[in-house]
Each structure stands twice: as structure tokens, then as C-alpha cells.
Amino acid sequence: MVETVINELIRDVPDFPKPGIVFKDITPILANPEAMSKIYDALAAPYREAGITKVIGIESRGFIFGTPLADRLGVGFVPIRKPGKLPWKKVSVSYALEYGEDTLEPHVDSVGPEDKVVIVDDLLATGGTLAAACELVKGLGTTIVGCSVVIELGFLEGRAKLDGVEIHSLVSY
Ligand code: AMP
């Protein structure tokens, strides 16, 4: 079972990057090829027959899981990046973090009304990051079939910020 594999490998790091946060360190998972292969298969499973045209990954850990998912689904990959990283014309949205603010940007021509996409990140916490990504993608006229994460911190109720969007997580705490 993919949940068991993730539970066995994930490393909880208390008080990182600041006091009170328990950081879910995925590096032991990344180092394990059998675990990663199971994760890619599990991420792809809900979308095999969904007519997905592109997978969108959120910088940076969404890239790790998004590109192999795109490969599994036989479609292209689109990065949504932190500000100032992409070279071409962009759209951007700023959103609240626990402390402060962050911004995300895709290229303006990366997806359009003809696309049906999955948005991928490693972890769903308060939901601010995925909600911002959804806002950008919807703003480009694109259909969001679902959002997928490997880990969901269910106690933070991030799903509430993503009303109406199908969310798939492989483990929830
Ligand atoms: P949020 O916008 O609150 O849902 O936060 C999600 C983003 O922050 C993801 O890109 C995660 O990589 C990162 N993140 C938030 N909380 C944690 C945590 N406890 N452990 C690891 N990454 C986290």
C-alpha cells in the first residue's frame, strides 16, 4: 500500500522552519526508487481516463511529482513558479502565508481554454498555495479536473479553501 510506504519513510522534523511547525521531510521518500514508483502510479490512477491535457506543478516540490505524473499520463508539464523566475509573459497572484505573503506565476500561454489539467504539489497544508494556483489556472480559462498532493495535513482544513475542486491525497494526517 502506498500509504504504508509513505508513513514508513516520511521524517517529521519539529520546529522547522520555525517553532511550532512540524515539517514533513520527504527526502527519505525521494531516495527510495520503489516508493517513488508507487507514488507516481497512485498519483496517476484517478486520471487515467480523465482526458487530461497537461499536468501543472507548483515550484518546487510540485515539480518532483508533477513531471513523472505528466509522463505517466502521456501529456506535457507546465511549471507555476515563484516570482521573477519565468522568462516569458506571465500572470501572477499573491496570497497569504502563515506569516507574510508569496506570489506564484505561470506563463500566460502555458494553458488555455482547450486544456483539462491536474495541479500537483507535494503537500496540502492551509490550502493557500493550491488555491492561488487554481485562481491562476481558472483565470486562463482552463478546466481543473483535480488537484493532487502526496501529503495532506487534514487538521489544517486546507480543503475548505478549495471548494468545488476535486482533491486527491495519498496520505492524510
Ligand atoms: P499551504 O499553502 O499552507 O497549503 O502550504 C503548502 C505549501 O507549503 C507546500 O508547497 C508545501 O511544500 C509547504 N508546506 C507547508 N507546510 C508544510 C509542512 N508542515 N511540511 C512540509 N512542507 C510544508
Side-chain angles (χ1 to χ4, degrees), residues 21-24 61 121-129 153:
I21 304 283
V22 179
F23 193 85
K24 297 289 184 187
R61 277 166 277 158
D121 204 356
D122 67 325
L123 184 142
L124 171 63
T126 66
T129 306
L153 303 183

Side-chain angles (χ1 to χ4, degrees), residues 54-58 62 66 77-80 111 117-121 137 142:
K54 284 185 184 115
V55 172
I56 299 181
I58 302 175
F77 175 80
V78 169
I80 290 188
V111 286
V117 302
V118 186
I119 305 177
V120 182
D121 204 356
V137 170
T142 302

